[in-house]
Every structure is written in structure tokens, then in C-alpha cells.
Amino acid sequence: MANACKRQFVRTIERAAFVAGSTLALTLAGYSQSFAQQAAPHAVVLRAAHLLEIGTGRVISPGEILVDGERISAVGTAVSRPAGAQVIDLGDTTLLPGLIDAHVHLFLHPGAEDLQTVQESVPQRIVLAILAARDDLMAGFTAERDMGTEGAGSADTAVRDAINKGLIPGPRLRISGNAIDILGGHEDAIHFNPAQQVLSNATYANSTDEIVAAIRQQHKEGSDFAKMYETGPDSMRDGVLHTPYQYTLAQLKAAVEETARFGGNVAVHAMGEPGTLYAAQAGVASIDHATQLSDETMRIMKAKDIPAVPTFTIFEYFMNESEAGAKRERPMFEYKIKEFKKQIAAGIPFAVGSDVGPFPHGTQARELELMVKYGMTPLQVLQADLINGAKLLRWAGQIGELKPGYFADIIAVPGSPLDDISAVTHVSFVMKGGVVEKLPSPSR
Ligand SMILES: [Zn+2]
């Protein structure tokens, strides 16, 4: 145990140096070293002004968590302090479970999305994906679902596995490999010279047999679930979204059955009807973007507990990117807000996913702010993020709450996120699986 702890602290020091660069790195390394030098503690006590119980919304003050190895062993106002336990006092902060982003693209960065596959090699993109995983973790995201490598094949397998082995810092990951799309579909390289044979950013599957074969190939290469493009291209006409479906109900059902065979599931990019209805009927795990949901679709989502993942941040980002972007994207954004309010009123479940990648990694806690801004309470958004997110990523009972037996995925945010959700955009402390990944600046 002592050795395991020593290893953890060494990793913390190395990572801090790797992560922060320059002065901050030295400070963090010094901070880590100071407690690493003390007789290799086998338990850590985290102490903060408050702790939020996500399930009930109850705030415990002060909040303490006893961490033993990679898991939480006690939570309360005053936990026991085993001999040699290291106490980390996080001051006037609130302890929360590590955040979950149910829709990320580690293999994308800001700049022309369709050109990244064309201009950048897969090895180059893997380097950037590793940095993206680190940035997301430092922002407090300790678990993520990667929704497609966008043409980098199963390169996400290597990133996930390196994180799991402790070789590089990053969130726990559920990965899809490449996404699946029809020929000429939403993610195909449509606007290029056909003679250049520019590759699609997804894997083609045009029939039930091809869908099953693509899922099997991806799973062979390490995928946890399948991501499918179900709708697009999108257009706004007379203030209403129109978006053709890509796969039939029968095809989506075949995909759901195939992934269920290995314990996986299907997530769809689905902006509107009738694709969103087919997805709900087929029993997908989540409907992502989910801008337009009919009453029948929402009824099924409630009955089957299928969350919508609104991904407001990506829409906001493209709208604010340029004047042309604003003109093009604003009607869609306004429509999306109006529909979201209907979805809240209908009582459908939500999970939180930002679609980060096209906008900078590590900034995606904005999604929680936007879900509050457009109608949910801070507690509802945190519950959607953490409880529904844990279920969606198939880690229910393991992450998403601060309870004995759960993984010690813990963050600290200033003040109270229930009073001001923007606290989650200022994460000062990150622990994942009992390993300290980020410490507050000592000048705090
Ligand atoms: Zn996406």
C-alpha cells in the first residue's frame, strides 16, 4: 500500500511538471513533494468548507472525505483520521464529484473541422488528443465519453488505455472509435473535388449488415460503444428545423442489439425528427444535440430513461465565432432554447455533454452554465451531469457521487455551485481514482 501511495505522489509530481509548465509546475511539484516526503500515507483526508450531496442537494459544512487507495471510504463533517493520513485542506471551497462530459471529441481542436483529417496525420492528431485529455482533466472532468475520432480510426483506444495505465493524465474514457455514417451523410467529405477522393470523417455503413460489421470491427479495435450519425444536413425554414434521417428504425435497432451483445450501447447524433423518434424507438443510450423532439419521442425517452444531451456550448461557440456565424447560427440557437424549455417542461431526462473539440478543451464547463441559463436549476444540471452521466457511461454506483465505495474522483470549486453554477468553471483541485491531479495554488 505504501508503495502504491508513493507511486501516486510521484506521478502527481511528474504530472504537475508536465501539466503546468514553468513557475506553477515548480510550485505544484514543491507542494506535492512536501507531503510526499512524509511517511508515505496510505490514506488522504480532503477537507473543505462545504460538500454537496448530489443525490439530495444537501450541503454538508464542513465537508470531509476519507480516501483510501483509489476509492472513497468515508464522507461527513468529520471523518476519522487513520494513523499517517495526509490531510489536504481546500479552504473555502465546495467538494463535488469529478465532472462528466458525455460528448467530447479528444481528436478535434479549434479550426476547420473537416480539414483536420486532410491536413494532419493520425500520429499528429494523437499528440493533440493526449493534450486535450489532460486539459479536460485539469478543468475537473474526470470521466468522458468520446463521440468519435473523426477519421482517426481506433486511435482513441491507445489514449484510453494509456490513461488507464497511468502513463498520461486524462479522464476515465468510454470511446466509440470512429463514428458510423452513411455514404454522402452528415460527416462525409462532400464539398471536395471527388477526383481527390477525400476520406470521410466517419466509417461508412449503408445497410444493416454493414452497420453490424462496422460495429464488430470497431469493437475488435477497442470501442466501448457505437456513435452513429442519424440526422443531417440541417436547415432552418420559417423558424423550424428540418433534418433528414439517415438510418431506419430497423437499422438502429440492429445496431443497438449488436452493441448490447458485448455490453455496449449506441449514441446518436440526432438533431430532429424523424431521426430522433427512430433513435428513441430503437432504444439508444442517448440522443445527442436533441434540438427537436416530438411529444411521442419525449414520451418514449421518459419511459425508457433515454437522456437528451443538448450540447449548447458548441452551438454558442459557432454563433459567436464570426459575424457570418452569428447570422447563420442564431435562428437555430434561438429555436434550440425554445425547444429545450419544452423538453424541461415535459420532464425528459438530460445528461451533460458539450461537444468540446471544435472549441478549446478544458473550457467546456460552460455547458453547465448554459443549461442553467436556459431553464434548469443548478442542482438539476449537476444531477443530470453526475447521476445521469454516470449511468450513461455505464459507471453507475462507481462515479458521480461522493459515497463510500465510489471511485475517489473529486473536485473542489470556489463558493457554492448551487448559488452560482459558474463555480464549476473555476475548479481548483482535482483527484481521480485517489490520485491528486491538480492542487490549488499555495498563494490562495
Ligand atoms: Zn460531436
Side-chain angles (χ1 to χ4, degrees):
M1 192 62 235
N3 275 342
C5 277
K6 235 179 236 161
R7 249 196 332 270
Q8 283 182 7
F9 286 117
V10 169
R11 270 165 57 195
T12 305
I13 293 163
E14 285 170 352
R15 283 185 190 178
F18 173 60
V19 163
S22 71
T23 326
L24 181 58
L26 290 172
T27 327
L28 286 174
Y31 192 103
S32 302
Q33 225 149 12
S34 67
F35 60 85
Q37 280 161 359
Q38 296 170 21
H42 55 266
V44 177
V45 173
L46 303 179
R47 181 183 167 80
H50 312 287
L51 179 151
L52 177 60
E53 271 187 6
I54 296 299
T56 61
R58 197 161 72 94
V59 176
I60 298 172
S61 305
E64 289 195 354
I65 303 174
L66 175 61
V67 176
D68 197 351
E70 63 179 3
R71 296 195 183 255
I72 294 170
S73 64
V75 177
T77 51
V79 297
S80 68
R81 284 163 167 66
Q86 179 67 49
V87 179
I88 301 178
D89 190 340
L90 294 160
D92 189 20
T93 62
T94 298
L95 295 170
L96 298 175
L99 300 172
I100 298 173
D101 192 334
H103 192 133
V104 309
H105 295 279
L106 293 177
F107 285 78
L108 288 177
H109 60 78
E113 191 176 319
D114 54 347
L115 285 179
Q116 289 176 30
T117 312
V118 178
Q119 295 173 333
E120 298 168 9
S121 68
V122 169
Q124 186 181 351
R125 297 181 66 202
I126 292 171
V127 172
L128 297 180
I130 289 169
L131 299 177
R134 176 204 65 186
D135 290 350
D136 288 358
L137 180 65
M138 292 306 135
F141 289 87
T142 52
E144 295 186 334
R145 192 175 59 154
D146 192 277
M147 293 286 277
T149 60
E150 307 277 326
S154 57
D156 49 356
T157 299
V159 175
R160 177 200 59 196
D161 293 353
I163 291 169
N164 288 348
K165 285 180 186 157
L167 301 174
I168 55 172
R172 298 176 195 286
L173 290 179
R174 294 296 190 201
I175 58 165
S176 63
N178 218 10
I180 295 171
D181 193 21
I182 59 170
L183 180 68
H186 176 82
E187 204 62 13
D188 205 349
I190 294 170
H191 302 293
F192 292 95
N193 173 3
Q196 291 291 349
Q197 301 185 345
V198 173
L199 299 174
S200 166
N201 277 356
T203 299
Y204 292 130
N206 291 298
S207 65
T208 301
D209 286 352
E210 286 179 11
I211 290 168
V212 170
I215 289 172
R216 287 181 183 174
Q217 183 69 36
Q218 292 181 349
H219 186 58
K220 174 185 168 185
E221 296 176 20
S223 71
D224 299 307
F225 71 99
K227 154 82 181 285
M228 300 176 75
Y229 283 98
E230 173 55 4
T231 65
D234 311 320
S235 58
M236 289 294 295
R237 269 179 271 147
D238 304 322
V240 178
L241 169 69
H242 294 265
T243 186
Y245 74 93
Q246 299 204 156
Y247 291 112
T248 64
L249 170 57
Q251 287 171 332
L252 290 178
K253 267 189 178 157
V256 169
E257 277 168 24
E258 179 56 26
T259 52
R261 206 175 54 77
F262 59 78
N265 54 33
V266 174
V268 288
H269 165 117
M271 281 284 288
E273 298 292 340
T276 40
L277 175 63
Y278 296 165
Q281 288 172 328
V284 300
S286 66
I287 296 181
D288 289 58
H289 310 307
T291 297
Q292 179 190 60
L293 305 172
S294 70
D295 289 346
E296 174 62 3
T297 302
M298 291 195 284
R299 185 191 67 75
I300 298 169
M301 290 170 76
K302 275 172 74 173
K304 294 186 179 175
D305 198 21
I306 301 171
V309 183
T311 67
F312 277 111
T313 317
I314 189 78
F315 288 87
E316 183 191 57
Y317 178 77
F318 284 133
M319 187 175 68
N320 291 339
E321 208 183 14
S322 64
E323 237 172 82
K327 207 169 169 215
R328 195 180 59 239
E329 303 293 336
R330 185 168 294 284
M332 174 82 84
F333 198 71
E334 281 168 3
Y335 178 76
K336 189 170 178 60
I337 294 164
K338 203 175 70 188
E339 294 297 305
F340 180 61
K341 290 180 194 286
K342 282 191 218 165
Q343 295 168 9
I344 297 169
I348 64 163
F350 291 96
V352 178
S354 67
D355 215 351
V356 69
F359 64 92
H361 279 278
T363 66
Q364 70 262 43
R366 175 72 178 155
E367 185 68 22
L368 290 93
E369 290 182 309
L370 291 175
M371 288 173 80
V372 170
K373 182 173 176 186
Y374 298 125
M376 291 171 75
T377 67
L379 182 62
Q380 283 172 337
V381 172
L382 288 166
Q383 288 173 338
D385 183 45
L386 297 163
I387 293 177
N388 294 350
K391 260 194 282 180
L392 181 53
L393 273 64
R394 290 182 281 122
W395 276 309
Q398 302 286 313
I399 63 170
E401 294 188 74
L402 300 174
K403 287 184 175 176
Y406 279 55
F407 281 119
D409 291 4
I410 303 162
I411 62 170
V413 302
S416 165
L418 293 187
D419 297 333
D420 179 2
I421 192 67
S422 74
V424 296
T425 65
H426 302 286
V427 171
S428 60
F429 170 85
V430 180
M431 172 180 271
K432 189 193 127 205
V435 176
V436 176
E437 303 281 1
K438 179 183 186 178
L439 287 164
S441 158
S443 61
R444 172 172 52 83

